[in-house]
Amino acid sequence: MSEAAKWYVIHTYSGYENKVAKDIEKTVENRKLHELIQEVRVPTEMATEIADGKSKEVERKTYPGYVLIKMVVNDDTWYLVRNTRGCTGFVGPASEPTPLSEAEVKQLFGVEVSSVSVNFKVGDSVQISGNGMEGFVGVVQNINLEDRKVDLLVSMFGRETPTTVPIDQIRVVED
């Protein structure tokens, strides 16, 4: 092969990313096109979801509706990708395949991202659990997802007292 494979972005129907990737991989396997279509990826990240004081790791799509593919573009590979069920086309002007730059590829694959989501917001009443202040109720003043901490205003001994608590020690107070 005189051409080098480059990374491209395919647009898909939302929720069809994994199916499109598997269908392309299966077609590549069946037609023995490994040197033309080298890799297919659905970009994902590990995220921590915290609800009612329990945290769990979940895998989440980084770019819903998109699939990354490392391939050599020719008429056959373009046709194969464009006619995969659930695929709406390549990302680029007039749906023409436009390769990603080295910086974009490095940003997509070189950085490990982990995010946290919570089921409360600033101003919500929450209950502290799992430490010396267990059972106290406070009002959320600030949420720091990076450090995984929450600033609360807790009523103690008739006074409003600011405190910082780890996110996983917070439960939403039911009304």
Side-chain angles (χ1 to χ4, degrees):
M1 283 274 101
S2 58
E3 292 183 62
K6 295 182 179 157
W7 284 100
Y8 297 89
V9 180
I10 305 169
H11 190 265
T12 68
Y13 294 124
S14 186
Y16 280 73
E17 302 89 353
N18 292 332
K19 179 156 181 35
V20 167
K22 282 188 175 88
D23 288 351
I24 291 172
E25 288 169 346
K26 189 184 296 183
T27 305
V28 166
E29 187 73 33
N30 291 341
R31 295 186 187 176
K32 311 246 186 284
L33 297 172
H34 300 289
E35 59 279 344
L36 294 175
I37 298 178
Q38 298 174 358
E39 195 173 345
V40 182
R41 284 192 184 182
V42 177
T44 58
E45 66 180 353
M46 289 308 292
T48 305
E49 287 185 352
I50 299 174
D52 296 328
K54 296 180 180 84
S55 67
K56 67 178 179 178
E57 293 287 319
V58 293
E59 191 173 43
R60 209 183 272 161
K61 290 179 181 77
T62 311
Y63 303 104
Y66 295 97
V67 174
L68 301 172
I69 185 168
K70 186 175 185 179
M71 63 185 265
V72 175
V73 175
N74 62 26
D75 289 342
D76 293 335
T77 58
W78 181 89
Y79 184 83
L80 183 150
V81 171
R82 272 301 277 127
N83 289 295
T84 299
R85 179 179 226 113
C87 175
T88 61
F90 286 92
V91 173
S95 286
E96 286 297 313
T98 305
L100 295 172
S101 69
E102 289 296 319
E104 290 169 325
V105 172
K106 186 175 182 179
Q107 180 182 355
L108 286 171
F109 300 126
V111 180
E112 182 89 17
V113 180
S114 180
S115 63
V116 177
S117 65
V118 293
N119 63 341
F120 53 86
K121 61 188 182 308
V122 173
D124 284 356
S125 290
V126 294
Q127 187 174 30
I128 301 171
S129 66
N131 69 22
M133 296 181 68
E134 182 148 4
F136 279 93
V137 175
V139 177
V140 177
Q141 300 298 304
N142 183 37
I143 302 170
N144 186 338
L145 295 176
E146 203 171 283
D147 294 338
R148 299 178 186 225
K149 297 197 182 281
V150 179
D151 295 329
L152 301 174
L153 206 53
V154 180
S155 180
M156 297 173 68
F157 312 115
R159 290 190 181 173
E160 297 293 316
T161 307
T163 188
T164 302
V165 180
I167 284 179
D168 60 353
Q169 293 181 359
I170 299 292
R171 288 211 172 93
V172 176
V173 173
E174 300 296 325
D175 290 332

